[in-house]
Every structure is written in C-alpha cells, then in structure tokens.
Amino acid sequence: DELFMHRALLSLAVAECGFIEILLAQLRSRSSRDRTHRHSVAAAAFLGALVEPPLSLPRGIQDFPRLLAAQLLNHLNEVWSLLGAVLDSPLRDWRPVCVRGYIHDCAAISYAAPPPPSVTSNFLRLCLSEQSSS
C-alpha cells in the first residue's frame, strides 16, 4: 500500500504542475534525433505506473491518477503518435521482455486514456507485427 500511495501522490503532483505538456515537448524534440526512442519508452513506463488507480487506497486518493488521466485525454493524438513511433522503430536490438513490458505500459495508459480511433488500428498492427513479436 505504501508504494501505491506514493504513486497516487506522484500522479497528483504530475497533474497539478502541468508536467504532461513539458514531457510531451521534450519527447517531441528528442524523437527526431533518437531512433531508439528510449525516452518515449521511459515515459511510457512512468505514465503507465502512475495512471493505474490502486483499489486498496481510500476513495479520495484513488482519484489522483484520474486527474493525470484527464490531462492525458487532452493530448491523445500526440501521446499515441509518440508511443506508436517506438513500435515503428527498429526493435531488433530489444529483448522480447522489453517489448512486452512496453506494450504492457501502453495498455495501462490506454485504460486511462484510450488511443483515438485514428491511431488505434495502426498501433495494434505495430504491436502484433513480426517486428514487435520477436
């Protein structure tokens, strides 16, 4: 419960300080220079851990991750195009466990902030492609 409390409080802090806009600006500037997209992978792990509301915490604290999810909803196209770009990059150097972990993080994010229909089919195609299933 202590870890979940920490994550919930961190998600509140991230939401209240407008960190999503800052994070997206940094990822946007780095994605054109970094073909491995390692910063987007790290961001997905970070956001995936923060948007899942833990059920074992008091009701008011369970709402903290929802505040972060509400901010993600305002940036769906950008978030999902950055996440999809990772899967569209060369993954042959990735270990299979890293690909599965990344897809798991994306699934956690999609539960809180579903990808828009315009990117859903392409994102799923990339997840299921031979490249990402290695």
Side-chain angles (χ1 to χ4, degrees), residues 87-134:
L87 293 172
D88 209 14
S89 67
L91 298 177
R92 57 188 156 272
D93 296 334
W94 285 36
R95 293 188 181 135
V97 69
C98 294
V99 174
R100 285 191 301 273
Y102 180 73
I103 292 172
H104 178 269
D105 294 333
C106 290
I109 295 168
S110 73
Y111 182 76
S118 59
V119 299
T120 301
S121 62
N122 188 50
F123 190 84
L124 291 174
R125 181 188 59 77
L126 290 169
C127 286
L128 299 173
S129 73
E130 287 183 45
Q131 186 179 25
S132 63
S133 64
S134 58

Side-chain angles (χ1 to χ4, degrees), residues 3 9 12 24 27 67-68 101:
L3 177 62
L9 293 172
L12 176 64
L24 290 174
L27 292 176
L67 295 172
L68 177 59

